[in-house]
Each structure stands twice: as C-alpha cells, then as structure tokens.
Amino acid sequence: MTLLHTTRVRRRRLGVAAAAAAGLFATLLAAGPAVATPDPGDKPAKEETSKSQQAEAREAIQNDEIPGVDEIIHSDNMSHVANVPKEHLKGTNSDIAFQGKYAFSGNYDGFRIFDISKPSKPKTVAQVLCPGGQNDISVSGDLLFLSTDASRSDNSCSSVSAPATEKSSWEGMKIFDISDKRNPEYVAAVETACGSHTHTLVPDGKNVYVYVSSYSPSATFPDCQPPHDGISIIKVPRKAPEKSEIVDFPVLFPDGGNPGAPTNPGVSATTGCHDITVLPSKDVAAGACMGDGILFDIKNPEAPRIIDRVQDNVNFAFWHSATFNQAANKVVFTDELGGGGAATCNEEIGPKRGADGIYDVIGKGDKRKLVFKSYFKIDRPQADAEVCVAHNGSLIPVKGKDIMVQAWYQGGISVWDFTNSSKPKEIGFFERGPVTLDQVTTAGPWSAYYYNGYIYSNDIAKGLDVIKLDDRRTDEAKKVRMDELNVQTQPDYFEDFRH
C-alpha cells in the first residue's frame, strides 16, 4: 500500500530561467504543431531521461523538493479517501461523467461504471470493452455518449485499428443505453468528419444535441478533408437514439483560424476545435480551438453564433479546454503545451508557458469581449521525467467565489481560487511522485472534478482516486447535490441543484 504523507514539500517556485532555459524552450517552439499534438495516443510518451536529469531528480527527492517515486503528498486540507486500480481495461484512463450515485470513467479501451454511493469504497458495476481512443464520455438520462477519435475498421466494439486513408474506416460518436447500469447496451453510432476527439452535450427537452470537436484533416483522409474549420452537430432523440443524425456543420473560422507556424511559431494552426464547454442557463459556450479561444451564443443549439475570438501567440501553444465561472463573466482556458507528452512544469519552461489563461467577459449580448487578465500555473516543480500539463477541471460551487479543481497529469491535482482574475492562487493540492525517473512517462490525473462533496480523479495509470477537500473556503460547496454532471455541460449550480 502506498504510504500517505500529509506534509508539504518545500517549494522551489517556478521562475523564468535564463540562458539555461533557452535551449529547451527553443526546441519546444521549433517543433511547431507536433509539440501540441493533444492527449496521449495509444503509445504514451516513454522517452528516456539523461543520467544528469535522473541525478537531479534524485537530489530533488532527497531535498524534499519533489515527492519520491509513487509517493503521495497533499496539502493539509486534502485527504486521499480511496483508489480503485485499473482492472480489465488496461488502456489510458480519460474523462469522467456522473449521474446519481454513479461515476462513468472513460478509457481508451472502453468505459467503466462505478457505484460511488459510499465514496470511500467505490464499487465497479460494469466494465465495457469498446476500444476507440480517447473514449471521451458523457451521460444524459438513459443515454451514454462515447467519442471515437481513432480510425477503426467499423463502428462495432469489436473493431480493430484501420488506416484513416481507407474510405471504409470509421470514427465518430457511439451511443449506449444505460437504463440498466450493470448491462449497458450499444444502440447507435454516427460517423463524423475527422472523428470525435471530444464532445459536449446540449440537452434540449426531448432531444440532446452533441457538439463534436475534431481536427487535423489531411488530403489523404477521405473522411477528414481540409479545410475543417467547424464542428459537427448531432441531434439525438432521447426516445429513439437510433435515429440520431448530423444536422449541421457550422463553420466557426471562415478565415481559417490561427495560421500557426511560421506566422506564429510554436502555436498550433487551427483546424477545428479540441473542446467546447457550454453553460446552457446563460445560452453561452466557450471553445478551445487549437490556436484560438472563442465565445459563442447557443440560444439556438443547432446554429451557434460566434461572439468573440482571441489568440495568445506569445505563451499559448494549444488551446485545450475552457471553464466558465458561475456568473459567466470569466473563462479559464487551458494550454496543452507539449501535447500531454512532455515535462513542462519546470524552471526551463517557466510560469507562463503551459499555463491557464484567465479571461474576463466584458460587455453584454453580442458586444461581449474576452479580455485577458492573468496566467495561473502550478508552482510545485516536477521532475524532468514527469509529463505535466494543464488539463481537465471543474468549478467547486461556492457562492460569490470562483474556485476550481484541475488535473495536471503528473503535476497532480490543484485547487485554486481565481475570484480575483488578476491574482489567482492555489489553495490545495494532491499529487504522486514520478512513476519512474529513467524515462518521460505519460501518467497522472487526466480529469479532476468536484461532485457531491468529493473530488474524483481519473488517473491515467493508477485508476480512480477519490479525494476529500476540507476547507472553510469551500465547505459551502458540500451542500450542493447534483443529480447529473457532465463538466463540459456546466450546470447552474445554484438553480439546478437539489438540497
């Protein structure tokens, strides 16, 4: 059993290194779009580290600057309640969704359903083998949605990998009936252009609209042709999901979006969106779209309208995801520098590259503008063997405060306050030490979400973690009880919840 430590590590804060940093920083920039290929593929990063890097990491461990291999550390206001290791599904763990007493865990090999009625003892209810990275997951009523962004031989759960250059290959959305949690039933599939890297649900009465984000077209891919400057919208009838169909492909970037390198070195060219977060109670959405961040109106879910668009060609490499505050007057965008395959939480990279960008939303209606306020990045240094990147997080519902929990791969889990947009600060953390010191390894929390009083984290390598946060600044959130939560479909926590 892993020993639980409650002591804080001594912090060596991440500053902007000077000449020594220039070499690595230039390498990351010169690599262009390849640096920002998002999320680990079927073969996660396993690049060997140098002897000097290993020696430096061992010294840092000895000096209590970073935790030891697989050692758990956390701030005093966080405690590790439970861990459920992987079982039959051995692939990369990805996103999480929630409904009632259940958590639904995505995995590149399929998905897993947990009974979390007792958070200290989660129980596996079902494991469904259905390979198709990255299996981004959402639930709504009796339906479960699963993204396939890996070219497959067909749309079945017994498919095998197939070249994207073959017209017969398949990628897109899969839909399951989960009315019986122990026996999910695969009921429908919809092929989408360039597959479905992530998706976002927009519930609308008898129907559910699915915004499908995908990207990276190629003239050699019959089903993923350039230009690819929009999103696929699928309409799903709740009572007849087999009739699901694409109803539109709105072009979000008529000008082609951010051109990337060489115009903007180190920035990904925009060829679609990576992830979209909607706030239905405000009829608004935010898109993280490779080289661009966008704000759009979704009053008509079949016809989203762009309100504003921003770029950061100095410090952002790949716009990965977005989170609104509850008032919808702020958006936190994340930058997936290194594509989830590089060590980027260190002095060489510094505190602004690979950080979150906090934007205030100024104005009303179609005159709203995204205005940059500050960056936030964990300042706990990580070893050069640790893949560390800003990843999926959620709000912690506290009235009058803007607080969220966020996953950082091997950087662990951070709880931070951005009530003051210009001065964000971390108020809690949980992390494991390096998986190993001899190679750069993709591991750590993919998603970290707050749900009904606990933080649930889907660790890429270690399985499901349950963490309790006890802090006077967030204790009020424990009163908020949700019946369902898909983080990319943000609820109005103070209108939609039940006591």
Side-chain angles (χ1 to χ4, degrees):
M1 176 177 287
T2 304
L3 184 63
L4 185 68
H5 292 261
T6 58
T7 54
R8 297 177 184 266
V9 290
R10 291 199 296 268
R11 293 191 176 191
R12 179 180 62 196
R13 295 188 180 275
L14 300 183
V16 179
L24 178 58
F25 194 53
T27 300
L28 282 169
L29 289 177
V35 169
T37 301
D39 307 325
D42 294 329
K43 295 181 179 179
K46 289 190 175 181
E47 176 186 350
E48 290 187 3
T49 54
S50 67
K51 297 296 183 183
S52 62
Q53 288 173 320
Q54 294 175 35
E56 182 181 353
R58 285 192 290 270
E59 183 180 358
I61 291 171
Q62 188 173 4
N63 293 335
D64 285 339
E65 292 173 345
I66 64 173
V69 173
D70 270 347
E71 178 186 12
I72 290 177
I73 63 166
H74 52 76
S75 53
D76 293 336
N77 57 357
M78 296 177 75
S79 55
H80 194 198
V81 174
N83 171 262
V84 185
K86 293 180 184 179
E87 195 174 347
H88 298 304
L89 305 179
K90 303 298 185 182
T92 296
N93 278 333
S94 56
D95 216 355
I96 319 174
F98 304 91
Q99 188 180 85
K101 66 177 184 178
Y102 298 101
F104 303 81
S105 163
N107 179 287
Y108 275 48
D109 287 339
F111 65 92
R112 190 174 184 180
I113 302 177
F114 295 96
D115 181 335
I116 54 172
S117 53
K118 189 172 184 179
S120 61
K121 293 184 178 180
K123 297 180 179 178
T124 300
V125 173
Q127 297 184 71
V128 177
L129 180 65
C130 195
Q134 58 187 18
N135 278 339
D136 194 50
I137 193 167
S138 296
V139 294
S140 184
D142 287 338
L143 300 179
L144 179 147
F145 301 83
L146 207 61
S147 284
T148 299
D149 191 35
S151 189
R152 310 295 295 181
S153 56
D154 55 53
N155 64 9
S156 73
C157 284
S158 58
S159 67
V160 296
S161 294
T165 52
E166 291 185 7
K167 177 65 178 172
S168 60
S169 296
W170 186 91
E171 297 179 74
M173 286 298 309
K174 294 171 181 170
I175 304 172
F176 291 77
D177 184 318
I178 52 168
S179 52
D180 181 354
K181 302 295 187 294
R182 296 185 178 277
N183 295 288
E185 181 184 358
Y186 184 11
V187 294
V190 180
E191 187 170 16
T192 54
C194 300
S196 174
H197 192 72
T198 65
H199 68 269
T200 303
L201 304 186
V202 186
D204 187 44
K206 296 180 180 179
N207 302 304
V208 180
Y209 289 95
V210 186
Y211 289 176
V212 176
S213 296
S214 55
Y215 51 89
S216 295
S218 169
T220 65
F221 299 162
D223 297 321
C224 185
Q225 291 283 300
H228 184 74
D229 297 322
I231 58 173
S232 299
I233 299 180
I234 302 172
K235 183 178 181 180
V236 181
R238 290 185 183 278
K239 297 298 184 181
E242 69 279 2
K243 295 181 180 179
S244 300
E245 62 179 355
I246 296 173
V247 293
D248 201 2
F249 185 89
V251 174
L252 304 179
F253 304 98
D255 65 353
N258 197 318
T263 303
N264 298 315
V267 179
S268 289
T270 298
T271 59
C273 287
H274 178 275
D275 209 349
I276 292 170
T277 293
V278 299
L279 187 53
S281 63
K282 307 289 187 182
D283 289 329
V284 69
C289 303
M290 305 182 73
D292 294 89
I294 58 175
L295 183 71
F296 52 105
D297 181 290
I298 59 166
K299 189 172 184 178
N300 179 351
E302 288 192 26
R305 294 186 302 104
I306 301 297
I307 299 171
D308 194 27
R309 169 181 158 196
V310 289
Q311 297 178 355
D312 180 346
N313 295 318
V314 176
N315 289 313
F316 260 49
F318 190 96
W319 296 67
H320 176 275
S321 55
T323 302
F324 285 101
N325 69 337
Q326 188 60 69
N329 58 13
K330 298 177 189 176
V331 181
V332 175
F333 288 104
T334 68
D335 176 21
E336 195 178 41
L337 176 67
T344 65
C345 299
N346 50 35
E347 282 189 279
E348 286 77 8
I349 302 302
K352 293 183 178 180
R353 294 282 288 171
D356 296 326
I358 303 167
Y359 287 75
D360 280 358
V361 181
I362 306 299
K364 295 182 179 180
D366 288 350
K367 294 184 178 181
R368 283 172 285 184
K369 297 291 182 183
L370 291 163
V371 178
F372 173 77
K373 301 301 290 185
S374 66
Y375 295 107
F376 171 79
K377 187 175 182 179
I378 58 171
D379 63 359
R380 289 168 284 109
Q382 308 296 314
D384 289 330
E386 293 183 277
V387 169
C388 178
V389 69
H391 226 244
N392 294 356
S394 77
L395 286 184
I396 297 177
V398 179
K399 278 189 175 180
K401 297 288 185 181
D402 298 326
I403 300 174
M404 70 178 290
V405 58
Q406 185 178 359
W408 286 80
Y409 277 26
Q410 287 200 70
I413 296 168
S414 176
V415 176
W416 59 287
D417 187 324
F418 62 104
T419 306
N420 183 337
S421 304
S422 299
K423 293 183 179 180
K425 59 182 180 181
E426 184 174 77
I427 63 174
F429 70 90
F430 170 93
E431 70 169 286
R432 290 181 172 88
V435 172
T436 180
L437 297 178
D438 57 11
Q439 62 185 18
V440 180
T441 306
T442 298
W446 175 294
S447 302
Y449 298 146
Y450 188 91
Y451 179 71
N452 290 355
Y454 290 84
I455 294 168
Y456 293 87
S457 168
N458 213 11
D459 189 289
I460 291 168
K462 300 294 183 180
L464 182 75
D465 283 312
V466 185
I467 296 153
K468 191 173 183 182
L469 174 64
D470 289 302
D471 191 297
R472 59 179 176 77
R473 293 164 290 191
T474 61
D475 282 346
E476 179 185 322
K478 295 176 183 178
K479 300 175 184 177
V480 179
R481 311 296 294 183
M482 305 301 298
D483 292 318
E484 189 171 274
L485 178 64
N486 300 294
V487 168
Q488 286 72 37
T489 305
Q490 281 190 220
D492 184 328
Y493 286 98
F494 307 113
E495 292 294 335
D496 297 345
F497 79 94
R498 57 181 174 79
H499 290 279

